[in-house]
């Protein structure tokens, strides 16, 4: 049986999730606008300029928001899986709260993977987002290629410093809106000797030029235990209404209650 609950291994796993989860959701609110950066071809330069100009704006994933959150997690080595559907309500200048709609699967995955990811999100709210935001202050950008049709421009992103929460990989920017629609990369600094490698892949679907669905895949290679896989899907809620019987996520997981918290788009 996997003993991922071991204190040091468990906290290392938590910090790894925390670092990656924050790295790309953060906005740089409160910071000065970044300096302009020119690249060839001109279309790529304009897309990057639009991205950098808009990175300080709020988006559906940063607070304040309410989203439908769906998580599928697995420990492939042990053929164990689990899933969660919940409402994440994230009031301004507060930490997120979770109302569970449905949860099922192996208890080990529920408690040691899914619950720890949610705890990591709550702890990430206390970290200055500007320290990990994908901006010129934290990253070097190098143009790679573009796609046909509505142009999407790919840039290699390399951290200026080997700091926790930063990734080395690629950022794809939609040429029409300047929004990041695809990110992939590895943590440049492991949070612990127990974590061999942590890879993130994130895709954002646009509807009428507005983000409406975000899908994040995390692949964490853990020494001894093998690796854990998570897929997190977020979609903005149509309503921020919250029932008076909201339950904290840890209590909800233990009780396996089903709570109809609010009406969400796509639910």
């Amino acid at each position: 049986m996997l003993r991922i609950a071991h204190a040091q291994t468990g906290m290392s796993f938590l910090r790894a999730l925390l670092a990656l989860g924050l790295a790309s959701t953060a906005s740089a609110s409160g910071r000065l606008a970044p300096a302009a950066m020119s690249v060839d071809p001109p279309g790529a330069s304009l897309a990057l300029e639009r991205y950098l100009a808009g990175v300080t704006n709020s988006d559906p994933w940063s607070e304040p928001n309410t989203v439908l959150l769906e998580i599928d997690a697995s420990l492939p080595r042990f053929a164990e899986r689990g899933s969660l559907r919940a409402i994440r309500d994230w009031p301004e200048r507060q930490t997120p709260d979770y109302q569970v709609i449905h949860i099922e699967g192996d208890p080990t995955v529920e408690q040691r993977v899914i619950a720890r990811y949610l705890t990591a999100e709550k702890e990430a709210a206390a970290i200055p987002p500007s320290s990990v935001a994908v901006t010129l202050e934290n990253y070097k950008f190098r143009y790679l290629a573009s796609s046909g049709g509505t142009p999407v421009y790919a840039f290699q992103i390399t951290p200026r410093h080997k700091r926790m929460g930063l990734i080395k990989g690629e950022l794809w920017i939609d040429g029409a809106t300047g929004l990041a629609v695809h990110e992939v990369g590895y943590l440049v600094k492991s949070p612990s000797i127990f974590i061999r490698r942590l890879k993130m892949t994130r895709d954002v679907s646009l509807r009428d030029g507005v983000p409406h669905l975000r899908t994040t895949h995390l692949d964490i290679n853990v020494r001894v235990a093998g690796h854990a896989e998570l897929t997190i899907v977020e979609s903005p809620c149509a309503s921020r209404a919250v029932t008076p019987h909201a339950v904290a996520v840890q209590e909800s997981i233990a009780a396996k209650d089903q709570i109809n918290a609010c009406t969400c788009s796509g639910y």
Side-chain angles (χ1 to χ4, degrees):
M1 179 179 178
L2 173 64
R3 294 191 178 277
I4 198 169
H6 184 278
Q8 190 172 7
T9 305
M11 288 307 296
S12 301
F13 180 78
L14 178 62
R15 286 194 295 268
L17 291 175
L18 174 62
L20 259 188
L22 183 64
S24 297
T25 60
S27 64
S29 57
R31 300 206 62 173
L32 295 176
M37 177 180 177
S38 297
V39 297
D40 288 323
S45 181
L46 180 58
L48 181 58
E49 182 180 342
R50 287 173 174 169
Y51 167 77
L52 293 173
V55 75
T56 58
N57 298 330
S58 60
D59 58 53
W61 326 116
S62 59
E63 52 93 11
N65 71 32
T66 300
V67 304
L68 173 64
L69 183 69
E70 297 178 275
I71 300 176
D72 287 308
S74 67
L75 296 167
R77 179 178 175 182
F78 300 92
E80 295 181 332
R81 304 187 65 87
S83 63
L84 170 80
R85 173 173 285 201
I87 301 300
R88 183 187 68 204
D89 185 59
W90 194 345
E92 188 172 5
R93 293 186 295 274
Q94 297 183 37
T95 57
D97 285 321
Y98 303 89
Q99 302 171 54
V100 172
I101 299 170
H102 181 71
I103 185 168
E104 64 180 6
D106 296 293
T108 299
V109 177
E110 292 177 9
Q111 297 292 336
R112 311 307 179 191
V113 182
I114 295 176
R116 282 183 175 162
Y117 175 81
L118 299 180
T119 300
E121 279 200 334
K122 293 174 86 66
E123 294 190 4
I127 295 178
S130 59
S131 66
V132 291
V134 184
T135 61
L136 287 177
E137 286 86 352
N138 297 324
Y139 285 90
K140 299 176 183 178
F141 292 76
R142 183 171 71 86
Y143 172 68
L144 296 176
S146 65
S147 67
T150 301
V152 174
Y153 298 95
F155 294 85
Q156 181 183 72
I157 54 174
T158 305
R160 296 183 182 275
H161 307 284
K162 194 174 183 180
R163 187 169 64 234
M164 190 73 69
L166 301 183
I167 65 171
K168 182 177 182 180
E170 295 180 10
L171 177 73
W172 296 14
I173 300 173
D174 178 68
T177 63
L179 296 174
V181 294
H182 177 75
E183 297 171 68
V184 60
Y186 295 88
L187 277 179
V188 296
K189 185 176 182 180
S190 176
S192 167
I193 61 172
F194 290 97
I195 304 296
R196 290 180 182 272
R197 207 173 205 193
L198 205 164
K199 178 183 179 182
M200 180 197 74
T201 303
R202 172 169 286 159
D203 293 285
V204 175
S205 299
L206 304 181
R207 179 181 294 168
D208 298 325
V210 177
H212 80 99
L213 190 71
R214 185 170 73 171
T215 304
T216 303
H217 298 280
L218 298 180
D219 193 306
I220 305 109
N221 194 329
V222 185
R223 294 181 188 274
V224 182
H227 74 282
E229 298 176 353
L230 293 95
T231 298
I232 303 103
V233 179
E234 300 162 274
S235 55
C237 279
S239 169
R240 288 180 55 85
V242 178
T243 64
H245 300 292
V247 182
V249 64
Q250 291 85 356
E251 297 174 347
S252 298
I253 288 176
K256 296 182 182 291
D257 288 336
Q258 295 185 4
I259 302 174
N260 187 4
C262 71
T263 301
C264 284
S265 57
Y267 174 59

